[in-house]
Amino acid sequence: MKTEVRGNGTSISLQNPSHFNTPHGSITGALRGCLGSLDGACTEKLLLHCASALESNDVTLAQQVMWVLNNVASSVGDPNQRLTSWFLRALISRASRVCPTTMNFNGGSTSLRRRMTVTELAGYVDLIPWHRFGFCVSNSAILKAVQGSPKVHILDFSIAHCMHLPTLIDALAKRAEGPPSLRITVPSCRPPVPPLLNASTEDVGHRLANFAKFRDVPFEFHVIDDPCLSSSGEILSKESSAFQFESLLSLLTATELELREDEALVINCQNWLHYLSDEREGSTARDSSLRDAFLDIIKGLNPRIIVVVDEDSDLSASSLTSRITTCFNYLWIPFDALETFLPKDSNQRLEYESDIGHKIENIISFEGFQRIERLESGAKLSQRMKSSGFFSVPFCEETVAEVKSLLDEHASGWGMKREDNMLVLTWKGHNSVFATAWASTGLED
């Protein structure tokens, strides 16, 4: 008997394992009782068995474990089943590249991502505080840093299409000393990841300009034009599936950015920094990764403050089994959180989970330049910033109060904690997103 597993336009033939005997031993005993089980620990064990089989090119064992996983996974089941379904799809996608003939795989690796309207994107980021937490923290920290400055320039790197900026513009308009002149500069390209918008970067700029005019905030919007990109923002490279940063970094100069001495410069990185490759280009101590090169460049711009917000997990390991363990025990959070208020067949929920599945597939299915999801924990990022010569800036009590007020709007499972000078969004006590603030010079300077 064979079972067809389908997902994202793909299918794979899985053998019904009446006998789970392989050169590595019998997995019948090891996995006895797992079939039909919804236990997360058992599911994780199955995923690791499958990953180990793929890494050792044991096609038979991989097919057998996938068959068991297929009996556990469900895209409309409980959170564990839904999460498992995306891991299974990711493993199938990986298997199709490891041994495409033997695995009898059809179709592409992922479905096309839907582009949202601005209104839909606003609802998307409001579902859970995954993005709004960072918006709230960064806006509050920026407001404090530019207090009293008549001119402000924000160099903004974000995957959420400047969705945090209307709130910041509104807050600047209410300043007791009056609003500053505000200049926003954004890159013309972004990582090829959800959420996707059906409007261009220039369109976003026009919308922000109209809102700033309505709030009587003097406003400029500039786009860093990258010659390696097409007019639509697509990357013109043979490695187009990877986000190419090299040419962008060369444009981050005082001249290209038209930095002005009378402006307070702010650099905001929202779920963006981890898309910079951390692989070193050479083998000597002087060789740096693109991530470190970016930090060196922005430090040289001498900004008033740098805010870094990202997902608090370490998913950069070269080992597939290590990534599966970390990813499975991290990305259950949004699946579990969505369960608290959206029905199982909600299109909004399915779409959000699909975007998380897009992340899972990249983490599990790809290697080399194609694996762009290379998260590092807040603790590791903090050490990297300190090693690059940045100085940690603590968040004020007003920022903490604003975040707590935000979390009151969401399910009771969401919380916040402090780790050194870092603020961390938690779900049922588990870290999900961190926020840090940095200065390029110490207070004594």
Side-chain angles (χ1 to χ4, degrees):
M1 175 183 175
K2 292 187 177 181
T3 300
E4 290 289 320
V5 177
R6 300 183 181 274
N8 282 346
T10 64
S11 65
I12 188 167
S13 177
L14 301 183
Q15 299 177 0
N16 185 341
S18 56
H19 298 286
F20 278 0
N21 295 312
T22 73
H24 298 289
S26 169
I27 66 170
T28 305
L31 303 180
R32 182 174 289 120
C34 280
L35 192 62
S37 169
L38 306 184
D39 177 71
C42 186
T43 302
E44 182 183 344
K45 182 193 291 185
L46 287 165
L47 293 170
L48 292 175
H49 270 289
C50 188
S52 296
L54 290 176
E55 288 190 312
S56 60
N57 295 317
D58 190 337
V59 177
T60 301
L61 177 58
Q63 287 180 314
Q64 292 168 348
V65 180
M66 286 180 185
W67 185 89
V68 180
L69 283 167
N70 188 45
N71 283 272
V72 175
S74 170
S75 61
V76 292
D78 65 28
N80 183 63
Q81 290 175 302
R82 298 165 86 104
L83 177 62
T84 301
S85 72
W86 285 106
F87 270 86
L88 177 57
R89 296 180 198 205
L91 287 168
I92 290 172
S93 179
R94 183 183 182 93
S96 72
R97 283 183 288 275
V98 174
C99 38
T101 303
T102 309
M103 297 303 286
N104 190 25
F105 177 88
N106 300 303
S109 61
T110 57
S111 60
L112 294 175
R113 316 307 306 165
R114 187 178 76 84
R115 294 183 177 272
M116 302 178 185
T117 65
V118 172
T119 301
E120 288 173 330
L121 180 60
Y124 178 94
V125 300
D126 282 345
L127 275 180
I128 59 176
W130 204 269
H131 291 283
R132 290 187 69 199
F133 167 79
F135 296 172
C136 182
V137 174
S138 61
N139 284 352
S140 181
I142 290 170
L143 279 172
K144 180 175 174 59
V146 302
Q147 189 173 6
S149 298
K151 296 182 179 181
V152 176
H153 182 189
I154 299 176
L155 183 54
D156 194 70
F157 300 94
S158 170
I159 68 166
H161 309 280
C162 302
M163 284 298 295
H164 60 291
L165 289 177
T167 302
L168 179 61
I169 291 171
D170 186 62
L172 289 171
K174 298 174 181 177
R175 286 200 323 184
E177 67 270 34
S181 296
L182 178 62
R183 188 155 65 107
I184 303 293
T185 299
V186 300
S188 57
C189 55
R190 67 186 292 279
V193 297
L196 302 180
L197 190 65
N198 69 352
S200 68
T201 304
E202 288 76 12
D203 289 337
V204 172
H206 288 312
R207 289 172 181 269
L208 290 173
N210 288 334
F211 182 72
K213 182 178 180 180
F214 173 72
R215 299 297 288 122
D216 294 322
V217 176
F219 185 82
E220 295 179 46
F221 187 85
H222 297 282
V223 179
I224 306 171
D225 291 320
D226 190 336
C228 291
L229 298 176
S230 68
S231 58
S232 64
E234 296 178 350
I235 300 162
L236 302 179
S237 166
K238 64 180 180 180
E239 298 179 352
S240 59
S241 61
F243 186 33
Q244 303 298 306
F245 277 95
E246 293 93 335
S247 57
L248 174 62
L249 296 190
S250 68
L251 300 175
L252 301 181
T253 66
T255 301
E256 291 286 348
L257 297 172
E258 299 180 11
L259 297 189
R260 304 164 189 171
E261 291 185 359
D262 60 346
E263 288 180 329
L265 177 64
V266 169
I267 296 177
N268 186 44
C269 296
Q270 294 265 345
N271 298 94
W272 196 87
L273 188 58
H274 78 263
Y275 290 106
L276 283 163
S277 171
D278 196 31
E279 295 182 359
R280 296 186 181 276
E281 297 181 357
S283 58
T284 69
R286 291 184 177 181
D287 295 316
S288 64
S289 66
L290 284 176
R291 200 173 299 183
D292 288 328
F294 172 78
L295 293 177
D296 287 342
I297 289 171
I298 63 172
K299 185 175 186 296
L301 299 177
N302 195 29
R304 180 78 59 88
I305 192 172
I306 305 101
V307 182
V308 179
V309 177
D310 221 318
E311 297 167 61
D312 197 11
S313 183
D314 189 356
L315 289 167
S316 59
S318 58
S319 164
L320 174 60
T321 53
S322 294
R323 295 204 304 273
I324 283 180
T325 297
T326 305
C327 188
F328 188 77
N329 287 285
Y330 173 62
L331 287 179
W332 70 272
I333 294 174
F335 283 87
D336 192 54
L338 291 169
E339 174 81 359
T340 63
F341 67 99
L342 287 177
K344 295 185 183 302
D345 59 350
S346 162
N347 288 333
Q348 198 174 26
R349 176 177 177 179
L350 290 169
E351 186 166 69
Y352 201 102
E353 290 175 342
S354 176
D355 286 349
I356 302 166
H358 182 277
K359 181 187 292 289
I360 291 170
E361 181 174 23
N362 188 261
I363 293 167
I364 303 305
S365 302
F366 295 96
E367 299 293 347
F369 69 86
Q370 290 183 311
R371 180 158 60 84
I372 62 173
E373 293 285 350
R374 294 177 179 269
L375 288 167
E376 64 181 339
S377 65
K380 281 192 174 182
L381 183 278
S382 293
Q383 185 55 54
R384 182 189 296 273
M385 297 294 288
K386 292 174 184 176
S387 297
S388 297
F390 290 94
F391 297 84
S392 179
V393 176
F395 293 106
C396 65
E397 291 303 320
E398 185 177 8
T399 297
V400 173
E402 289 182 23
V403 173
K404 289 180 177 178
S405 178
L406 165 68
L407 297 183
D408 286 341
E409 302 174 16
H410 293 273
S412 59
W414 293 105
M416 182 194 64
K417 65 181 180 181
R418 287 183 171 182
E419 294 184 355
D420 296 326
N421 285 336
M422 181 167 59
L423 294 184
V424 182
L425 175 69
T426 63
W427 172 253
K428 297 181 178 178
H430 297 270
N431 290 16
S432 60
V433 180
F434 71 84
T436 58
W438 304 87
S440 55
T441 57
L443 295 176
E444 66 275 11
D445 297 332

